[in-house]
Amino acid sequence: MKTAMIVIVAMALLAGCGKTTGKGASSGTPAPDGNVRAQQASPEPITKENRQAVTERLENLVKGIPHVKNATCVVVGHTAVVGIDVDGNMERSRVDTIKYSAAEALRKDPYGVNAFVTADMDLGDRLRAIREQIKNGHPVAGFAEELGKIIGRIIPQLPRDISPKQAPPAPKNENEQNFESTNL
């Protein structure tokens, strides 16, 4: 019985290793050497014209997560900051789980891969204010400092990121024992 099962599995594996030549066998284009090369899909660069579409796309991705009431997104360059609204009475561990789910959903999107997610109510209010000002035609570059502060509050300061300050070199003294010489 074991031998028959091994033979069937081996045949199934070998059948899957064959080369297909039928029409529509793959979505790539055949290369001169007979191999199929797939075209890599990369997202369009974010421009002023499609920034609104990217923002709405990322907001809708996050709004689809259970227990997320609303989401606000601001996109600057290749970075997005997403504020999520959840129930204020929710336990902190549950909020962290929802934030993780939002980050996971954004990670799978080519535009959301460089996103920061926050559930802080204060930061969410600040993001909404920035978003409204952008909608009213204010330049995005004017909010760079404010967004830098928001991102700074989201990302903790890690000890390994801090480089120690170098002490200035001690002045060289001719006297080896560092005694001050006085002329009397």
Side-chain angles (χ1 to χ4, degrees):
M1 185 67 174
K2 282 185 178 180
T3 308
M5 186 61 85
I6 291 173
V7 170
I8 291 173
V9 171
M11 288 176 53
L13 287 173
L14 291 174
C17 294
K19 182 177 178 183
T20 57
T21 57
K23 200 171 194 178
S26 81
S27 61
T29 56
D33 59 359
N35 293 330
V36 176
R37 300 241 166 34
Q39 187 72 7
Q40 294 294 325
S42 61
E44 296 176 21
I46 298 173
T47 62
K48 191 174 187 178
E49 292 78 29
N50 73 349
R51 181 177 287 121
Q52 180 69 27
V54 170
T55 300
E56 290 175 5
R57 175 182 171 145
L58 296 179
E59 285 178 355
N60 289 332
L61 268 174
V62 175
K63 286 178 186 176
I65 295 171
H67 305 290
V68 173
K69 293 179 178 179
N70 198 7
T72 304
C73 179
V74 176
V75 176
V76 177
H78 295 291
T79 304
V81 182
V82 181
I84 59 173
D85 292 334
V86 295
D87 185 16
N89 298 327
M90 197 175 289
E91 290 182 26
R92 188 71 205 162
S93 62
R94 183 71 178 132
V95 172
D96 288 341
T97 302
I98 294 169
K99 266 180 32 180
Y100 182 82
S101 298
E104 190 71 22
L106 292 172
R107 182 183 66 85
K108 293 178 182 176
D109 186 271
Y111 292 113
V113 82
N114 294 326
F116 295 96
V117 180
T118 181
D120 185 283
M121 292 187 326
D122 179 45
L123 296 181
D125 290 341
R126 291 165 86 177
L127 285 172
R128 274 188 285 287
I130 291 172
R131 169 88 189 227
E132 284 303 314
Q133 290 178 355
I134 291 172
K135 279 184 178 179
N136 292 334
H138 293 277
V140 177
F143 305 112
E145 185 176 333
E146 181 73 16
L147 285 173
K149 289 178 184 177
I150 290 172
I151 292 171
R153 286 186 62 186
I154 294 171
I155 299 174
Q157 183 65 49
L158 301 175
R160 68 172 178 235
D161 292 341
I162 300 172
S163 59
K165 291 183 180 178
Q166 296 291 331
K172 291 188 177 185
N173 193 349
E174 294 174 7
N175 190 346
E176 199 174 309
Q177 297 174 346
N178 291 331
F179 291 123
E180 288 186 26
S181 61
T182 58
N183 294 333
L184 296 173

